[in-house]
Amino acid sequence: MLRTFLPLLTATIPLVSAHHGFAQVQHKNIVYAEAHGVGLVMDIFTPAGDRNGLAIVDVISGGWDSSRGKIHDHERAQVFRIMCSRGYTVFAIRPGSLSRFSIPDMVTHLETGIAWVKEQADKNGIDPTRVGMMGASAGGHLASLVAVTNGSSEVNPGNDKATVKAVAVFFPPTDFLTFGSDSGPGAAKRIRQIALRGIPNELSEEETKQALISISPARLVTKDAPPFLLIHGTADEVVPQAQSELLQAALMDNDVSAELVLKEGGGHPWLTIHEEVGRIADWFDQQLGNELRP
């Protein structure tokens, strides 16, 4: 069971950080819900300068682990600096880790986090109808899964919905029925074990297949999905490039706008990934209508 906390119980001391010539204010460990007696938290990054009144939900997860080290990974990729420099308020949601929660649990947590962001829109000075979402690897998977199963904010408006207007993701797993198949049965088995962790073991082959489909964004797309930008390295040895291609194809088959950018020689991730973060910021500027765009 999830229980949202009142804003009064989530106050933290803001930290001002300055990286690469731009300062943003970081509010750490804001509690947005509780699950099984465990507080679920996010960090909120606000621009030190002008704000554009728009929000980005950044899904913090790598290997379906959302420890604080994963936020540091996004800091190194300059996500918060770049987005805040454009005036965005960034909500870095941590949906939990496999050590405690299953992937379906994390989906519920992320949905609750998005709804919390919208419920607190007035307090944080953002437009709840113009929220973008991003993530990388497992964070990209969770962002994609929540987006395609909740539809877009254009279709389902309202502060109580886990909908967003646009989604940009790096190298996301999108289809667990095919993931690992090109790496041999051993790799495929390991991927399935990770994906099914926390799900009952006594499943038939057909039930296992359906469980994998239920967490595979590429197999759940409808025409109501929001527009997507996918970025994938051609030398990614962790998540095959085909995973982004499958999601793009599924989106386009449903007449949903989906752009795929391939980073030649890019791994998982790559040293200059901040350049692609800048490209995502440009895309969000267009999708969300950023009046402070460069």
Side-chain angles (χ1 to χ4, degrees):
M1 176 181 294
L2 289 171
R3 178 166 60 88
T4 56
F5 278 19
L6 294 174
L8 182 62
L9 302 180
T10 64
T12 62
I13 299 174
L15 302 175
V16 177
S17 57
H19 298 290
H20 307 281
F22 190 87
Q24 60 268 351
V25 181
Q26 178 181 2
H27 304 262
K28 287 187 174 183
N29 295 328
I30 305 298
V31 180
Y32 64 88
E34 179 186 286
H36 306 297
V38 176
L40 302 172
V41 298
M42 69 173 76
D43 283 13
I44 302 177
F45 295 81
T46 58
D50 293 336
R51 302 188 188 190
N52 61 16
L54 305 175
I56 303 296
V57 169
D58 186 20
V59 186
I60 305 299
S61 185
W64 296 280
D65 175 272
S66 64
S67 61
R68 179 153 293 278
K70 304 304 178 183
I71 287 186
H72 297 326
D73 290 343
H74 289 223
E75 287 176 330
R76 284 189 287 272
Q78 302 183 35
V79 171
F80 311 122
R81 182 194 70 81
I82 290 171
M83 293 301 169
C84 287
S85 73
R86 304 288 183 99
Y88 291 101
T89 299
V90 182
F91 298 84
I93 294 179
R94 297 161 65 187
S97 304
L98 279 178
S99 57
R100 179 101 187 195
F101 301 108
S102 68
I103 288 177
D105 289 335
M106 295 177 206
V107 168
T108 299
H109 300 167
L110 179 54
E111 290 171 337
T112 301
I114 295 169
W116 186 94
V117 168
K118 292 185 174 187
E119 289 164 1
Q120 302 299 316
D122 288 344
K123 176 183 176 183
N124 291 297
I126 58 115
D127 181 348
T129 68
R130 293 191 290 165
V131 177
M133 181 160 56
M134 64 184 295
S137 195
H141 162 254
L142 293 171
S144 300
L145 183 55
V146 167
V148 301
T149 53
N150 282 277
S152 71
S153 54
E154 300 293 329
V155 176
N156 296 311
N159 291 355
D160 59 338
K161 301 291 185 181
T163 58
V164 295
K165 192 173 177 65
V167 182
V169 289
F170 286 103
F171 33 78
T174 69
D175 186 347
F176 289 105
L177 292 187
T178 62
F179 194 161
S181 60
D182 55 351
S183 303
K189 182 178 180 180
R190 287 193 296 275
I191 292 296
R192 291 185 180 211
Q193 287 174 338
I194 291 173
L196 293 173
R197 192 172 299 176
I199 296 174
N201 294 324
E202 308 79 22
L203 297 180
S204 67
E205 184 175 346
E206 179 60 27
E207 288 172 332
T208 298
K209 178 181 177 181
Q210 292 305 314
L212 290 170
I213 289 174
S214 73
I215 56 172
S216 295
R219 293 183 178 262
L220 302 171
V221 175
T222 73
K223 62 180 179 60
D224 294 336
F228 268 74
L229 171 63
L230 300 107
I231 302 180
H232 215 118
T234 61
D236 193 330
E237 297 182 354
V238 179
V239 178
Q241 173 185 320
Q243 290 288 301
S244 282
E245 293 171 341
L246 286 167
L247 180 55
Q248 182 195 31
L251 289 161
M252 294 178 68
D253 285 346
N254 282 275
D255 297 321
V256 176
S257 174
E259 179 183 356
L260 172 58
V261 175
L262 296 178
K263 177 71 172 183
E264 187 63 35
H268 193 95
W270 49 88
L271 291 176
T272 59
I273 198 168
H274 62 277
E275 296 175 357
E276 282 65 43
V277 173
R279 184 163 184 168
I280 286 176
D282 291 339
W283 186 77
F284 276 138
D285 285 348
Q286 295 176 350
Q287 297 294 324
L288 303 180
N290 181 13
E291 296 179 359
L292 295 181
R293 72 179 69 179

